[in-house]
């Protein structure tokens, strides 16, 4: 393990020993510092919010950008705590669960279920909770710092979820889980490494994964959205229904419905969405680059 890896693992474990409320305080301070120094995350959040909420009052949009940067920092510190804390203690941080019957519908019909978790609030606590409900395969992209992989993987798999890679082998695992009537957990709001097509996201073309559409067509599974909303004293886990259009055989119709489902989750806590992600990095041919810095 190189020095960078050792430092990263050490920092992760040190933060992980802190109670959740202290992790949140440290995250809040880190987020405020990121706002104060006008970080790259703040710049990107401003761009994305202007694209997605063009009619919003500029002052309100700036406030939302700053709140998002702070919440993203808090989420990072929370995750370190969640990965290094026994599930029995993490479970106590769940204040309430809303609309879980949406998830149960697939099981009642004898079908597997895809759970789509956008980068809103804390998706780690949500994924850990879902892992306690049924066997599930979780699509996973290893971190850039290789030394962090076993720490994160063990933290995510503690409740029973099985991490599967973002490649052909991982897709096979997702198919197997769904065909067995179990769960597949996927983060749907990132640019795909494989299999993508453009679909509207807040009215803008965004390269969107086709994996979910393909899984639906091959397994006739159920689909539901969900996220872990940050609230006083812990988390509120929220399940959100998917539109019927997500089951369409027409790929573009299904992708557009999936993106609208992500938008519906964001609408419940827009300040907790990870707006700094370059969601519109790749654009249709002929479109200008969105995130280019002004000289």
């Amino acid at each position: 393990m190189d020095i960078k890896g050792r430092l990263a693992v050490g920092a992760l474990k040190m933060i992980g020993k802190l109670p959740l409320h202290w992790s949140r305080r440290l995250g809040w301070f880190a987020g405020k510092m990121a706002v104060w120094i006008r970080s790259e995350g703040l710049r990107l959040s401003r761009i994305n919010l202007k694209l997605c909420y063009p009619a919003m009052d500029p002052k309100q949009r700036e406030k939302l950008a700053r709140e998002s940067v702070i919440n993203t920092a808090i989420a990072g510190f929370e995750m370190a705590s969640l990965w290094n804390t026994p599930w029995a203690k993490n479970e106590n941080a769940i204040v309430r669960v809303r609309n879980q019957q949406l998830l149960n519908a697939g099981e009642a019909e004898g079908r597997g279920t895809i759970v789509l978790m956008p980068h809103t609030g804390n998706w780690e606590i949500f994924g850990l909770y879902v892992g306690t409900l049924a066997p599930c395969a979780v699509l996973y992209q290893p971190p850039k710092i290789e030394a962090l992989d076993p720490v994160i993987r063990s933290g995510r798999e503690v409740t029973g979820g099985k991490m599967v890679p973002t490649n052909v082998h991982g897709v096979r695992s997702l198919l197997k889980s769904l065909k067995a009537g179990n769960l597949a957990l996927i983060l749907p709001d990132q640019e795909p490494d494989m299999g993508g097509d453009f679909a509207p996201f807040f009215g803008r073309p965004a390269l969107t994964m086709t994996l979910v559409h393909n899984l639906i067509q091959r397994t006739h599974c159920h689909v539901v959205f969900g996220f872990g909303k940050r609230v006083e004293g812990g988390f509120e886990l929220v399940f959100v229904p998917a539109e019927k259009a997500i089951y369409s055989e027409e790929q573009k119709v299904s992708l557009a419905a999936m993106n609208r489902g992500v938008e519906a989750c964001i609408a419940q806590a827009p300040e907790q969405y990870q707006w700094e992600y370059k969601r519109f990095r790749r654009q249709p041919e002929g479109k200008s680059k969105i995130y280019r810095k002004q000289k």
Side-chain angles (χ1 to χ4, degrees):
M1 187 186 300
D2 59 18
I3 295 177
K4 186 177 181 180
R6 289 177 181 175
L7 289 173
V9 171
L12 189 65
K13 290 185 176 181
M14 182 175 66
I15 296 169
K17 292 179 180 179
L18 298 173
L20 182 63
H21 68 277
W22 273 107
S23 295
R24 284 185 169 181
R25 289 184 183 184
L26 286 174
W28 178 88
F29 179 77
K32 292 289 283 188
M33 288 296 294
V35 169
W36 184 69
I37 65 172
R38 299 182 181 181
S39 67
E40 177 69 357
L42 179 60
R43 184 184 77 87
L44 295 171
S45 296
R46 286 168 171 166
I47 292 172
N48 283 330
L49 285 167
K50 189 173 183 179
L51 289 172
C52 296
Y53 296 111
M56 182 180 287
D57 178 79
K59 291 183 179 180
Q60 184 180 354
R61 201 164 55 218
E62 174 65 16
K63 180 174 181 290
L64 184 55
R66 294 178 178 224
E67 289 177 345
S68 173
V69 170
I70 292 170
N71 272 282
T72 296
I74 292 172
F77 279 78
E78 285 175 341
M79 289 172 191
S81 178
L82 293 170
W83 291 330
N84 289 278
T85 302
W87 171 244
K89 189 172 182 180
N90 284 334
E91 189 175 20
N92 290 333
I94 299 173
V95 176
R96 68 187 68 88
V97 180
R98 288 170 44 202
N99 304 325
Q100 187 172 319
Q101 72 276 6
L102 296 171
L103 177 66
N104 300 338
E107 182 181 0
E109 296 169 2
R111 294 190 289 163
T113 298
I114 294 176
V115 184
L116 299 173
M117 307 181 298
H119 289 80
T120 296
N122 192 303
W123 48 96
E124 296 292 341
I125 187 70
F126 184 86
L128 286 170
Y129 176 76
V130 172
T132 69
L133 304 178
C136 61
V138 186
L139 198 62
Y140 170 66
Q141 187 166 17
K144 293 180 180 179
I145 301 176
E146 189 176 340
L148 289 175
D149 185 60
V151 180
I152 296 174
R153 184 182 290 271
S154 63
R156 285 178 168 174
E157 292 185 335
V158 71
T159 59
K162 176 66 177 176
M163 300 297 112
V164 301
T166 54
N167 57 28
V168 174
H169 298 293
V171 173
R172 287 174 183 165
S173 296
L174 294 174
L175 279 168
K176 184 178 180 180
S177 184
L178 292 171
K179 287 180 177 179
N182 296 320
L183 306 177
L185 276 67
I186 300 173
L187 293 159
D189 52 343
Q190 290 184 312
E191 286 194 340
D193 292 327
M194 57 180 185
D197 194 6
F198 287 99
F201 182 58
F202 285 96
R204 297 273 180 171
L207 190 63
T208 303
M209 66 168 62
T210 56
L211 172 63
V212 174
H213 169 71
N214 294 334
L215 290 172
I216 294 170
Q217 296 306 306
R218 293 184 65 176
T219 66
H220 304 289
C221 62
H222 180 60
V223 183
V224 66
F225 289 83
F227 65 98
K229 184 179 179 181
R230 188 170 299 106
V231 297
E232 185 68 30
F235 303 96
E236 176 184 70
L237 308 188
V238 185
F239 289 91
V240 179
E243 295 181 10
K244 289 184 179 180
I246 203 169
Y247 303 103
S248 174
E249 293 181 0
E250 295 185 37
Q251 181 173 281
K252 285 189 176 295
V253 173
S254 178
L255 298 189
M258 183 172 72
N259 283 348
R260 287 194 297 271
V262 174
E263 292 174 22
C265 293
I266 293 171
Q268 297 196 38
E271 75 285 355
Q272 292 190 26
Y273 187 63
Q274 194 179 46
W275 287 107
E276 65 183 49
Y277 180 69
K278 295 181 180 180
R279 188 67 181 86
F280 305 103
R281 183 173 61 89
R282 284 184 278 183
Q283 288 291 287
E285 190 174 351
K287 296 283 186 178
S288 60
K289 292 184 178 180
I290 289 173
Y291 302 110
R292 182 180 297 168
K293 289 185 178 182
Q294 301 293 327
K295 293 182 179 181

